[in-house]
Amino acid sequence: MPTYRYACAECGAFDAIRPMRESGSGASCPICAGPSRRVFGAPALRALPAGLRSALDAQHRSADAPRVATSVPGRAGRTQRRATDPRQLRLPRP
């Protein structure tokens, strides 16, 4: 079940674990049993996997100042493999 944050006017904020169907209704304060309203906050993004979090951060950074390519990327990382079968030598190359 999800955790929701509520705020009591006298005691302050507290968290309550409730079913989603009950998220819209108010909750009673666990200290004074008074009525409280639901408080909306930022999502817990730290719970995301590290790869997804870094991709979201990169997307946010590139919204205002995207990186611009200044040259054509090289062919780094590609190694030329020699064919071991003589019949492969006659095949067309890209």
Side-chain angles (χ1 to χ4, degrees), residues 32-52:
C32 68
S36 59
R37 61 181 177 79
R38 185 169 168 202
V39 179
F40 293 93
L45 295 178
R46 67 183 174 275
L48 293 175
L52 179 57

Side-chain angles (χ1 to χ4, degrees), residues 46-73:
R46 67 183 174 275
L48 293 175
L52 179 57
R53 188 172 353 122
S54 65
L56 288 173
D57 290 341
Q59 177 188 8
H60 180 70
R61 281 191 307 269
S62 68
D64 295 328
R67 290 183 10 208
V68 178
T70 58
S71 64
V72 177

Side-chain angles (χ1 to χ4, degrees), residues 7 14-15 26-29 36 47 57 59 81-82 88 93:
F14 64 93
D15 292 333
S28 59
C29 177
S36 59
D57 290 341
Q59 177 188 8
R81 293 190 305 164
R82 292 289 302 163
Q88 292 177 341
R93 301 284 176 228

Side-chain angles (χ1 to χ4, degrees), residues 4 6 12 15-16 20 22 25 33-36 54 57 63 65-66 69 71 74 90:
Y4 298 100
Y6 292 90
D15 292 333
M20 290 178 76
E22 297 176 11
S25 60
S36 59
S54 65
D57 290 341
S71 64
R90 293 190 302 260

